[in-house]
Amino acid sequence: MLIADLYIRVSTDEQANKGYSQRDQHERLERYCNQNQITIGQVIFEDHSAKNFNRPEWTKYINHIKKRSLKSNLVLFTKWDRFSRNAGDAYQMIKLLLGNNISPQSIEQPLDMSIPENKMMLAIYLAAPEVENDRRSLNTFYGMRRAQKEGRLMGTASYGYVNKCTEDGRKYVGLKEPEASNMLWAFNEIAKGKYSINQIRLKMNTMVQTLAVHHSTGQ
């Protein structure tokens, strides 16, 4: 009798940007099992990147496998990129699963591992998501470098400043009070050379707290 654990994974950015849905994956996997007379064991929901297998729910699942506490002989997922986006790690994990008599299988990209030629298809299915990740990282790197060359600040503005946007959509950094005045005071004190940076930091924290108390009491 075939007993399958269902692995349903989506990372936050994938769900937001690509429309992946845990519910949709679950429905497709359940339908596949019903059509093929496969008994469903565990259903594992994961909200984590597939760049490696350091994922909370997957780690728990592997621990159950190693303890021989599962009766399943299959782990099903919709596509191979739900399983992994790192070909090297994926091969090692497949070996571990098969060594524990559990076969990993994608219902939309099924492969008969007993056919040698299918290993070439497996390599493609596993490498494609990794290449996509690498390309995205490279594009991000070049985009950030270009922005820095143009004098644009990347990420959240530092203390004393705030991220703003013009009417035509151009982003820039503007001053934020009273934080900007606090930073100006701190730099002036550093320039005097009378106090250490840590002493100035503590004095500024005291000033900020005092202003906050006055503001809350209306003084």
Side-chain angles (χ1 to χ4, degrees), residues 60-107:
K60 293 177 186 177
Y61 179 62
I62 293 301
N63 288 336
H64 286 307
I65 291 175
K66 291 179 178 179
K67 292 177 182 178
R68 309 286 181 179
S69 59
L70 300 177
K71 298 180 180 179
S72 51
N73 42 37
L74 278 172
V75 56
L76 297 177
F77 32 87
T78 54
K79 293 184 178 181
W80 283 100
D81 67 351
R82 300 301 88 203
F83 177 67
S84 177
R85 285 179 166 266
N86 183 309
D89 287 353
Y91 283 120
Q92 292 183 20
M93 186 56 66
I94 290 171
K95 183 178 180 180
L96 186 153
L97 291 168
L98 293 176
N100 286 275
N101 301 313
I102 296 179
S103 298
Q105 188 59 267
S106 160
I107 64 171

Side-chain angles (χ1 to χ4, degrees), residues 123-140:
I124 293 173
Y125 287 146
L126 292 174
E130 185 173 5
V131 170
E132 181 186 356
N133 275 349
D134 291 346
R135 172 48 59 189
R136 188 185 301 117
S137 297
L138 198 58
N139 288 343
T140 300

Side-chain angles (χ1 to χ4, degrees), residues 3-159:
I3 303 175
D5 297 321
L6 310 183
Y7 185 63
I8 299 161
R9 186 195 67 79
V10 61
S11 61
T12 303
D13 63 327
E14 287 175 329
Q15 189 159 349
N17 300 329
K18 296 186 179 180
Y20 285 110
S21 165
Q22 288 188 337
R23 180 182 299 176
D24 178 60
Q25 292 180 56
H26 193 187
E27 290 174 354
R28 281 185 281 163
L29 289 166
E30 278 193 330
R31 185 163 54 248
Y32 177 86
C33 289
N34 291 334
Q35 292 172 349
N36 293 276
Q37 291 76 53
I38 299 174
T39 302
I40 296 175
Q42 291 194 60
V43 180
I44 306 152
F45 292 95
E46 189 89 78
D47 183 4
H48 208 274
S49 169
K51 292 180 180 179
N52 56 54
F53 282 97
N54 296 326
R55 314 170 205 161
E57 298 306 317
W58 183 262
T59 300
K60 293 177 186 177
Y61 179 62
I62 293 301
N63 288 336
H64 286 307
I65 291 175
K66 291 179 178 179
K67 292 177 182 178
R68 309 286 181 179
S69 59
L70 300 177
K71 298 180 180 179
S72 51
N73 42 37
L74 278 172
V75 56
L76 297 177
F77 32 87
T78 54
K79 293 184 178 181
W80 283 100
D81 67 351
R82 300 301 88 203
F83 177 67
S84 177
R85 285 179 166 266
N86 183 309
D89 287 353
Y91 283 120
Q92 292 183 20
M93 186 56 66
I94 290 171
K95 183 178 180 180
L96 186 153
L97 291 168
L98 293 176
N100 286 275
N101 301 313
I102 296 179
S103 298
Q105 188 59 267
S106 160
I107 64 171
E108 296 182 13
Q109 298 167 325
L111 292 173
D112 184 349
M113 298 299 184
S114 65
I115 300 175
E117 288 76 11
N118 278 348
K119 292 181 180 179
M120 295 177 64
M121 287 304 303
L122 176 61
I124 293 173
Y125 287 146
L126 292 174
E130 185 173 5
V131 170
E132 181 186 356
N133 275 349
D134 291 346
R135 172 48 59 189
R136 188 185 301 117
S137 297
L138 198 58
N139 288 343
T140 300
F141 168 76
Y142 285 129
M144 292 177 66
R145 191 166 71 172
R146 167 99 184 196
Q148 289 171 346
K149 286 182 177 180
E150 294 175 353
R152 288 186 282 137
L153 177 69
M154 304 304 298
T156 305
S158 303
Y159 180 85

Side-chain angles (χ1 to χ4, degrees), residues 209-219:
Q209 292 171 3
T210 302
L211 287 173
V213 170
H214 288 170
H215 179 75
S216 63
T217 58
Q219 296 179 353

